[in-house]
Amino acid sequence: MKQNNWKFRRIDRYIVKQFLGTYVFSILLIIAITVVFDVNERLDYFLKPEVSLHAIIADYYLNFIPYFIGIFSPLFTFISVIFFTSKLADKSEIIALLSSGVSFNRLVRPYLVSAAIIAAGSFVLNSRIIPPANATRIEFQNKYFKNKKVEYARNIQLEVKPGIFAYFDNYRADSYMGYRFSLDHFENKVLVSRLTAESIKYDSLYQWTIIDYMIRDFDGMREHIVTGTRRDTTLTFMPSDFLISENDCETMTSPQLATHINRQKKRGIGNIQLFEIEYYQRYATVMSFFILTLIGVSLSSRKIKGGMGMNIGIGIGLSFSYILFSKISSTFAISGSVPPMIAVWIPNLIYVFITVFLYRKAPR
């Protein structure tokens, strides 16, 4: 009997079908509405002669749709659960199931299976598929809408290798030029060599040209000076390491994000909070599907006087409070007040307690 209790039955298949069907329908509906509003907002840009219809569809909207699916998935997973479970409760189907000996814990199982399917698909999308799509979409936006790419930076300092530190007074991406450049080499915390240059030009991968330079080598109280007008050298950093745009993190897959974060930390570059938030958020989102699913089924499985509308209203209020709380906690991480990993996971941890409370209050 215990073994049969774990068997996937017709009612389980029915709930999974209803869950996934409602989710797909609702996500397609909101995406269609979003595309219509976006076309209306961008119409002036799309009518420019240099913007081709092929670029609008292939480069923008085919990459715009996965991006918004990733954003809306947790919210519409929750709304899907609220919607179809409230319909079951309103028709007294939940009461009939519980009266027939099916426990609430057993009833929740197909919901968790459905949430796992959506969470796995969402994780693959966010980690592997959406980032390269975002790169194409953002490039299109920068070219035809508004260029948000960072092309200028000041007071740049980074560690090239252990004990070797580079400094730029400023760098311009349009000319690939950095100005008032220095490269300091320390051994046992003692400065042994210092290179200064009026300017430095980026050529290609790790290849730089130093212009009007002076190298000072220190040997105790003695100093050896070498000057020159032009020198090609290899430095293991690129402009992309310090010219960081707000949405650069969205264009990296999860392995690329992890590599970038570790690399920047080793070099002492501090503006990586957005990258850390994006990285941890992709894993925290997986848990959010289960939290929101359990909250949804706990809320909507009880037949109440207000009917389905009341359940949907309460559910949407809770889901938006969850999203708002996530945004607020991320803001604290960006300002440096809270470590990014903690900031990203705090909403999940708090809503776990809400989930447990509602789950215990659910009809048995």
Side-chain angles (χ1 to χ4, degrees):
M1 186 71 182
K2 188 177 287 187
Q3 188 177 4
N4 290 336
N5 191 43
W6 287 94
K7 186 178 179 181
F8 212 68
R9 300 176 182 275
R10 181 180 296 178
I11 183 62
D12 299 314
R13 291 192 293 271
Y14 173 73
I15 290 174
V16 170
K17 183 180 177 181
Q18 289 293 315
F19 191 156
L20 297 181
T22 307
Y23 165 78
V24 171
F25 174 79
S26 60
I27 204 78
L28 290 178
L29 182 62
I30 192 62
I31 290 298
I33 294 170
T34 305
V35 168
V36 169
F37 275 100
D38 191 74
V39 169
N40 184 61
E41 183 181 350
R42 312 285 191 187
L43 194 57
D44 290 341
Y45 297 106
F46 294 154
L47 292 177
K48 291 180 179 179
E50 64 269 22
V51 186
S52 67
L53 180 62
H54 177 269
I56 293 171
I57 296 172
D59 295 341
Y60 185 63
Y61 279 112
L62 287 183
N63 299 305
F64 173 96
I65 290 170
Y67 173 69
F68 275 91
I69 288 175
I71 290 176
F72 288 132
S73 277
L75 174 60
F76 279 87
T77 297
F78 186 60
I79 290 175
S80 300
V81 173
I82 292 282
F83 183 77
F84 88 84
T85 307
S86 294
K87 285 175 64 177
L88 294 178
D90 198 49
K91 295 176 182 178
S92 300
E93 293 181 57
I94 299 285
I95 296 173
L97 283 169
L98 296 175
S99 300
S100 67
V102 177
S103 68
F104 187 74
N105 293 339
R106 177 64 182 82
L107 179 66
V108 165
R109 191 180 306 157
Y111 285 89
L112 295 179
V113 170
S114 303
I117 293 170
I118 298 173
S122 178
F123 180 75
V124 172
L125 270 177
N126 289 326
S127 299
R128 300 285 182 173
I129 298 172
I130 292 177
N134 280 342
T136 305
R137 176 182 59 82
I138 290 168
E139 183 180 352
F140 181 93
Q141 292 178 175
N142 288 339
K143 185 176 180 180
Y144 297 115
F145 299 165
K146 184 178 180 181
N147 191 356
K148 295 184 178 181
K149 190 174 182 180
V150 174
E151 297 184 340
Y152 179 79
R154 289 186 57 86
N155 297 325
I156 306 154
Q157 184 172 354
L158 65 159
E159 187 174 13
V160 181
K161 294 179 181 178
I164 301 178
F165 299 89
Y167 173 80
F168 295 83
D169 180 75
N170 63 83
Y171 182 87
R172 302 188 65 90
D174 55 356
S175 60
Y176 301 99
M177 293 292 294
Y179 299 94
R180 286 182 285 282
F181 173 75
S182 66
L183 191 68
D184 296 334
H185 183 191
F186 291 86
E187 290 183 1
N188 298 322
K189 298 183 180 181
V190 176
L191 181 65
V192 296
S193 178
R194 179 178 175 84
L195 179 150
T196 55
E198 286 298 315
S199 58
I200 183 171
K201 184 173 184 179
Y202 178 68
D203 294 323
S204 57
L205 183 64
Y206 300 141
Q207 300 301 311
W208 297 79
T209 299
I210 302 172
I211 301 167
D212 295 332
Y213 65 89
M214 179 174 66
I215 301 174
R216 301 165 64 194
D217 294 320
F218 304 100
D219 184 11
M221 299 297 294
R222 303 182 65 179
E223 180 180 353
H224 178 65
I225 299 176
V226 176
T227 60
T229 56
R230 192 178 184 89
R231 179 171 179 167
D232 295 329
T233 187
T234 300
L235 298 171
T236 56
F237 60 86
M238 298 180 292
S240 58
D241 290 329
F242 48 82
L243 292 178
I244 299 172
S245 301
E246 184 178 346
N247 47 20
D248 283 351
C249 57
E250 298 174 3
T251 66
M252 296 183 183
T253 64
S254 292
Q256 289 171 340
L257 270 175
T259 301
H260 179 80
I261 291 167
N262 291 331
R263 189 166 173 242
Q264 299 298 75
K265 281 183 176 180
K266 288 179 181 178
R267 291 182 170 179
I269 299 176
N271 55 344
I272 57 171
Q273 289 90 345
L274 285 174
F275 294 86
E276 292 182 295
I277 290 169
E278 177 70 21
Y279 180 75
Y280 294 123
Q281 189 70 58
R282 292 177 185 179
Y283 291 93
T285 299
V286 173
M287 185 177 176
S288 72
F289 284 102
F290 296 98
I291 291 172
L292 294 174
T293 295
L294 288 174
I295 290 177
V297 70
S298 300
L299 273 175
S300 55
S301 57
R302 188 186 300 275
K303 187 174 182 179
I304 59 176
K305 189 176 180 180
M308 188 168 61
M310 181 69 72
N311 284 335
I312 292 175
I314 295 171
I316 289 176
L318 271 174
S319 61
F320 274 107
S321 69
Y322 175 84
I323 293 168
L324 179 63
F325 193 25
S326 298
K327 295 297 181 184
I328 292 172
S329 62
S330 296
T331 302
F332 285 117
I334 293 170
S335 66
S337 304
V338 181
M341 184 172 71
I342 294 175
V344 167
W345 280 93
I346 279 176
N348 279 349
L349 295 177
I350 290 176
Y351 274 76
V352 162
F353 292 103
I354 297 175
T355 303
V356 172
F357 173 78
L358 292 174
Y359 191 80
R360 288 180 174 177
K361 293 289 184 180
R364 299 289 166 175

